[in-house]
Amino acid sequence: EAQVTQNPRYLITVTGKKLTVTCSQNMNHEYMSWYRQDPGLGLRQIYYSMNVEVTDKGDVPEGYKVSRKEKRNFPLILESPSPNQTSLYFCASSLNPSGGIYNEQFFGPGTRLTVL
Amino acid sequence: AQSVTQLGSHVSVSEGALVLLRCNYSSSVPPYLFWYVQYPNQGLQLLLKYTSAATLVKGINGFEAEFKKSETSFHLTKPSAHMSDAAEYFCAVSATGTASKLTFGTGTRLQVTL
């Protein structure tokens, strides 16, 4: 089944304790992205990757890191989480990031993170 | 630059009534426009998309949206609401040529009552 998976789905942690949220897709997609969803703010892009070893900042990158060593994986790293990073996080992927042809973004199920 | 404004964070309709969720966009280049739906505790699912073909776009579950350039709008409608339509709906815009950079609106939660 074609899908985007995220782990963990739920995570409660404490301020300053490094964590990684994994994202994997099995559709051979080139483009991957991370979003955070907060009430009243919709989804905001954190980082995105156009292909392996190519990443760039989205609209709210502060406090986050990403890496894209393999095409299928795009982990989100919080080196020193803070309470304002408590949010619902979504990973997404799509086939081709450019060329004037739109390719649908497929979303993972989400990771609910609470930072105490 | 691109942005989306969704009017009304909460909309309540009776089952069988018309659903109208409003979306206005701003884009410096011709846009791609989308509606996504999020059911409780789930990820986002694409309802429909406008990519410069027909201005009236039909999506899944009986939803449709009309692109109106003069009004910079892309409102989502469904003639008859069903209880299963209760969810949060997001409008999103992407500039052509950067097809994967999505900018989302703040969402509209649709409640369907008996």
Side-chain angles (χ1 to χ4, degrees):
Chain A
E1 179 188 355
Q3 59 183 346
V4 179
T5 57
Q6 296 179 225
N7 282 292
R9 293 288 313 278
Y10 301 90
L11 178 59
I12 300 174
T13 189
V14 295
T15 299
K17 186 176 181 181
K18 180 180 178 180
L19 66 92
T20 299
V21 183
T22 65
C23 173
S24 183
Q25 49 91 7
N26 62 0
M27 297 169 279
N28 202 35
H29 284 172
E30 294 176 1
Y31 179 92
M32 297 186 75
S33 180
W34 276 103
Y35 297 87
R36 61 177 289 174
Q37 182 182 7
D38 301 289
L41 296 177
L43 278 81
R44 294 176 292 167
Q45 189 179 51
I46 302 170
Y47 270 95
Y48 64 96
S49 170
M50 303 285 267
N51 213 325
V52 175
E53 301 294 0
V54 181
T55 64
D56 208 346
K57 296 177 180 179
D59 298 317
V60 288
E62 294 78 20
Y64 304 94
K65 286 176 56 178
V66 293
S67 69
R68 187 90 182 273
K69 293 183 171 57
E70 314 168 87
K71 199 170 189 178
R72 63 183 294 127
N73 295 323
F74 189 46
L76 179 69
I77 303 157
L78 284 71
E79 294 268 2
S80 183
S82 62
N84 65 11
Q85 293 178 297
T86 293
S87 187
L88 180 58
Y89 291 87
F90 288 101
C91 181
S93 72
S94 69
L95 181 60
N96 188 312
S98 63
I101 299 171
Y102 179 74
N103 293 286
E104 176 185 348
Q105 286 198 30
F106 292 85
F107 284 80
T111 296
R112 186 167 293 280
L113 172 65
T114 301
V115 182
L116 302 174
Chain B
Q2 55 198 38
S3 65
V4 166
T5 301
Q6 290 185 241
L7 297 175
S9 58
H10 290 83
V11 171
S12 182
V13 300
S14 301
E15 191 173 36
L18 171 72
V19 176
L20 171 61
L21 304 183
R22 299 177 186 274
C23 173
N24 288 88
Y25 71 90
S26 172
S27 178
S28 55
V29 298
Y32 293 156
L33 293 159
F34 315 91
W35 277 98
Y36 282 84
V37 61
Q38 184 180 30
Y39 298 105
N41 299 313
Q42 294 188 26
L44 276 74
Q45 179 182 0
L46 183 66
L47 262 182
L48 51 80
K49 63 187 180 189
Y50 166 77
T51 56
S52 75
T55 57
L56 182 62
V57 180
K58 294 188 184 300
I60 62 172
N61 301 336
F63 284 93
E64 62 182 38
E66 186 172 9
F67 173 69
K68 292 187 176 180
K69 185 178 179 180
S70 60
E71 298 177 9
T72 62
S73 68
F74 191 59
H75 302 331
L76 181 71
T77 61
K78 182 175 180 178
S80 177
H82 192 273
M83 295 296 288
S84 61
D85 294 326
E88 189 153 23
Y89 293 79
F90 292 94
C91 184
V93 63
S94 178
T96 54
T98 58
S100 288
K101 166 63 175 172
L102 281 176
T103 300
F104 285 86
T106 53
T108 297
R109 185 167 296 281
L110 176 65
Q111 181 182 19
V112 182
T113 58
L114 287 171

